[in-house]
Amino acid sequence: MGATALALATSIGALVAAPTAATATPAPGGEAVLAAEPGAFPPELILLTAGKGMVLKDRRNREPISWRHPDGRKTPLDCGGGVAALGDEIACTSASDLKIRNFDTGAAESVPARANLTWTNAMSPTQVLAYEKDANSRYVLHLLGRANEPRKDVPVTGAGPMGSFAVLASDARGALLEYWNTAEEGGHGHRYLDYATATLRELPRPSGVDSAYNKASLGSKWIAMVQFDDAVMVSRTDPSVTRTLSLPGPDRVMPVGDWLIADTTRGWDDSVSAYPVDGGTPRPLLGKLDGPLLLGPDGGAYGLSTTIGSGRWGVHGISTDAQGTLRVQEALALTPRPSDRKSIAFAQGDLSALHLDQT
């Protein structure tokens, strides 16, 4: 049976003729199945955590949230609420006791619940971050010791009150927080929590503006604070050391080594590039990015993306080697999303269909 497909180039609205991948062989009974060709649309997945394996969520909830490893292992996460993660160590924050499981090695431990304390989505190799409310309904943070940490409850000190807060990102050494207060108590801002000292540190605000930066992102060496087309890079080890960069309206950013990775999407002109912290010419790295950039335990940035010149989607990691040179590697291959087919028609022995794609 002959087969012809019509492909729709959605970016310009044109129709062109394209052959299907293969002619189907009729099955017994005269039936045949024509599988849809791989499409260029991103998979309907959301990247939640990055380690040796990745935690992915189906946008349509057709399957459970799962940890997926490049070797083919796929393990569902039985989490009804939030997820705390440090690489492949993952725990469900909706549970009373925080049960931490390393999905790569199989090791497991449990941190007992404490009265009036609630888990956040951040933890280190030795502690987990929790919070409570004080008598004035302000949030107070605690670092609770894991099995290998003798200090079982360390109150976090420094900075001012927090009427509400969110953990934006964390790694083995600390966490980046966004907080909201009344104007009289400091308004909206960002703080960095250093696990080693259990201390919160206030981060800069835009010059001449009584509000927080639009975006903030945690890297292994730098914290990026972005306001429109300007980024201020703050050293994690010495907050007095800063750098200023200009870049065209980034949607998502993440420091990697001495580079700032930025998604500077402009309409259909997708571009993910690396900007040197000390200035210089940006370097294109990825073609398209769907969803967030996540900090991995190796200090790299991970995202659901395509490489330059390719329409194939996967989870790619951006990292640096010992000399600071950037590397882009596929961290997890993904099954391509099938193209959409509409308006099936059969005439004069040929089957045709409207083939919708992003190419």
Side-chain angles (χ1 to χ4, degrees):
M1 179 175 66
T4 302
L6 292 178
L8 175 64
T10 56
S11 60
I12 59 175
L15 286 172
V16 296
T20 55
T23 301
T25 302
E31 296 180 354
V33 177
L34 298 177
E37 295 185 2
F41 285 111
E44 294 182 308
L45 298 169
I46 301 172
L47 181 63
L48 298 181
T49 73
K52 294 179 182 178
M54 310 291 157
V55 174
L56 292 159
K57 176 182 179 181
D58 187 288
R59 290 184 185 272
R60 298 189 184 183
N61 296 318
R62 292 166 297 190
E63 59 178 301
I65 298 173
S66 60
W67 177 85
R68 307 186 191 188
H69 194 275
D71 64 10
R73 285 178 288 166
K74 183 177 179 180
T75 308
L77 269 68
D78 186 17
C79 286
V83 174
L86 179 67
D88 297 297
E89 290 191 315
I90 300 166
C92 302
T93 57
S94 59
S96 54
D97 294 345
L98 193 70
K99 297 179 181 180
I100 303 169
R101 175 183 174 185
N102 189 314
F103 278 69
D104 183 43
T105 66
E109 65 175 284
S110 181
V111 181
R114 298 288 188 351
N116 303 320
L117 290 181
T118 302
W119 309 115
T120 72
N121 59 340
M123 61 182 174
S124 78
T126 59
Q127 294 172 304
V128 296
L129 182 63
Y131 67 85
E132 65 175 335
K133 283 190 173 183
D134 64 16
N136 297 315
S137 295
R138 299 294 183 262
Y139 285 90
V140 179
L141 302 179
H142 294 253
L143 288 168
L144 304 184
R146 295 175 56 173
N148 58 356
E149 171 56 60
R151 299 172 300 167
K152 296 306 179 185
D153 188 349
V154 179
V156 173
T157 60
M162 294 191 297
S164 61
F165 79 99
V167 178
L168 301 181
S170 63
D171 62 7
R173 295 158 43 215
L176 177 63
L177 278 61
E178 184 172 12
Y179 70 89
W180 295 264
N181 283 322
T182 62
E184 294 77 16
E185 292 184 328
H188 177 204
H190 295 90
R191 291 170 182 164
Y192 173 67
L193 170 59
D194 179 67
Y195 290 153
T197 60
T199 302
L200 272 174
R201 185 177 74 230
E202 196 76 28
L203 293 172
R205 296 189 184 190
S207 177
V209 180
D210 189 22
S211 64
Y213 280 93
N214 294 343
K215 300 177 180 68
S217 180
L218 183 69
S220 60
K221 296 180 66 174
W222 300 90
I223 299 170
M225 318 287 292
V226 178
Q227 182 81 352
F228 306 118
D229 290 350
D230 296 316
V232 173
M233 309 294 291
V234 182
S235 169
R236 285 183 64 168
T237 56
D238 184 356
S240 66
V241 177
T242 62
R243 298 287 188 274
T244 302
L245 301 175
S246 292
L247 56 165
D251 186 17
R252 286 150 290 200
V253 297
M254 176 164 289
V256 173
D258 288 318
W259 301 80
L260 178 63
I261 312 303
D263 174 17
T264 53
T265 300
R266 298 284 189 173
W268 289 99
D269 182 20
D270 297 314
S271 176
V272 180
S273 300
Y275 291 76
V277 169
D278 290 323
T281 304
R283 173 184 167 185
L285 292 178
L286 295 172
K288 297 178 182 179
L289 177 68
D290 185 53
L293 286 169
L294 300 182
L295 177 62
D298 60 350
Y302 291 82
L304 187 63
S305 51
T306 66
T307 55
I308 295 173
S310 170
R312 188 167 64 88
W313 289 86
V315 178
H316 293 95
I318 303 170
S319 60
T320 56
D321 61 19
Q323 288 72 43
T325 304
L326 285 167
R327 299 178 299 181
V328 178
Q329 295 177 307
E330 185 178 77
L332 181 68
L334 297 173
T335 302
R337 175 179 166 184
S339 302
D340 293 331
R341 282 178 173 172
K342 308 288 183 184
S343 305
I344 305 295
F346 187 79
Q348 299 179 348
D350 288 337
L351 181 69
S352 64
L354 189 65
H355 176 98
L356 292 93
D357 207 345
Q358 200 178 22
T359 56

